[in-house]
Amino acid sequence: MATGWDPRPTTGPGDGAEWLPVLDIPPPARQRRWTVLLRWLLLIPQFVVWWLLNIAAFFVMIVGWFAALFTGRLPDGIFGFLSSVLAYGTRVNASAALLVDRYPPFSFSAPQYPVQIEVRPTPLNRLAVFFRLILLIPAAIVAGLLESGWYAISWVFWLITLVLGRLPAPLYAATAAVARFSMRLRAYTYMLTPAYPKRVFGDEPVPADEVRSGTRPLLLDTAAKVLVVLFLVLGLAGHVVNASVDHGSDHDEDDFMAHTVTSCPTL
């Protein structure tokens, strides 16, 4: 399984071509019910570390943006740090989403951990770097809807895994699709790749000898694709409801203020 923590991993023929970041996760397997029950509680220290790393990554990314704008690539040190943060967050996300049972290590380098990513340094288009924040908006919207929809019914997945002791294949594939798309979006945001996030509904089948993991390739059956669509619908519905509530609250507050002003005596 390929790792993604080497600042300049060796690439084969076609170096310089667009490389879509890869996520490797083992196929769904048995999980300890007590770790499923306490999963998010156990991961609190990881969330704290990841939050701190994201703060550091934000400032490093700003420096990297200027460097990539002028040189058309990220410096080795910046690429290595941002890819390490991406790998760390991906491991935590995979554990939180019940894709793996093993607790993620507090380390940038984790070659023995079952969750791996592969990112390859390739030349960056300076114009795309300059407009990166604008270009990522459509993918960020899709990722936001997917993640919101997944969170809305994640408690169902948690209960199913707690009862069965494993995540059923369609739930695994749909969840992995969300995790992989989010990872690719963050890699694009970090300028680790010029490849725009894609393939939210999975990959095409490949010969058996080319299968590397449960997510390389990531194959979604009809049930898994329906779940991905459900995530999008639930995410959209949640945003619409929140927007309506916020609008109604603002409207009620304006009415209250207007009533208060008109009912007060003139000074």
Side-chain angles (χ1 to χ4, degrees):
M1 206 177 292
T3 61
W5 293 275
D6 185 354
R8 288 292 182 213
T10 302
T11 56
D15 286 3
E18 182 179 78
W19 169 260
L20 193 61
V22 173
L23 173 64
D24 279 312
I25 302 177
R30 298 289 301 180
Q31 300 195 37
R32 294 165 294 176
R33 289 181 173 85
W34 75 268
T35 65
V36 173
L37 177 65
L38 303 175
R39 182 64 52 89
W40 281 58
L41 182 63
L42 294 172
L43 287 175
I44 288 177
Q46 294 283 359
F47 292 142
V48 173
V49 173
W50 189 19
W51 177 73
L52 294 173
L53 287 174
N54 278 323
I55 294 177
F58 173 77
F59 293 102
V60 173
M61 184 177 62
I62 293 176
V63 177
W65 183 84
F66 282 104
L69 191 61
F70 288 101
T71 66
R73 60 175 291 177
L74 284 179
D76 289 357
I78 291 179
F79 182 93
F81 177 77
L82 292 178
S83 61
S84 296
V85 173
L86 177 65
Y88 192 103
T90 302
R91 294 194 297 266
V92 175
N93 263 340
S95 178
L98 302 177
L99 292 172
V100 291
D101 185 52
R102 184 174 166 185
Y103 194 80
F106 290 96
S107 173
F108 276 162
S109 179
Q112 302 305 316
Y113 193 73
V115 178
Q116 299 287 322
I117 66 170
E118 184 176 357
V119 289
R120 297 180 181 177
T122 57
L124 300 172
N125 184 298
R126 291 181 178 86
L127 191 61
V129 170
F130 183 78
F131 290 105
R132 186 59 51 109
L133 288 179
I134 297 176
L135 292 174
L136 62 82
I137 289 176
I141 291 175
V142 173
L145 295 178
L146 286 170
E147 292 171 0
S148 297
W150 183 88
Y151 280 116
I153 58 175
S154 60
W155 62 274
V156 178
F157 295 178
W158 177 79
L159 283 176
I160 292 175
T161 308
L162 188 61
V163 171
L164 299 180
R166 64 185 302 148
L167 196 62
L171 277 60
Y172 165 90
T175 301
V178 177
R180 188 178 71 167
F181 191 85
S182 299
M183 181 273 291
R184 287 177 172 173
L185 173 62
R186 189 172 291 268
Y188 183 76
T189 304
Y190 283 170
M191 295 164 291
L192 296 173
T193 176
Y196 203 74
K198 61 188 72 166
R199 298 179 188 170
V200 68
F201 288 102
D203 305 316
E204 295 295 328
V206 300
D209 59 347
E210 295 182 20
V211 175
R212 298 288 298 277
S213 67
T215 53
R216 193 197 300 201
L218 177 58
L219 303 178
L220 275 67
D221 59 14
T222 301
K225 291 179 180 179
V226 169
L227 280 172
V228 172
V229 173
L230 179 62
F231 296 157
L232 291 169
V233 172
L234 289 176
L236 180 60
H239 284 287
V240 170
V241 170
N242 288 336
S244 300
V245 170
D246 291 341
H247 177 74
S249 299
D250 293 342
H251 181 70
D252 293 343
E253 183 177 352
D254 291 342
D255 288 346
F256 173 77
M257 292 300 295
H259 175 74
T260 302
V261 171
T262 54
S263 61
C264 287
T266 303
L267 297 177

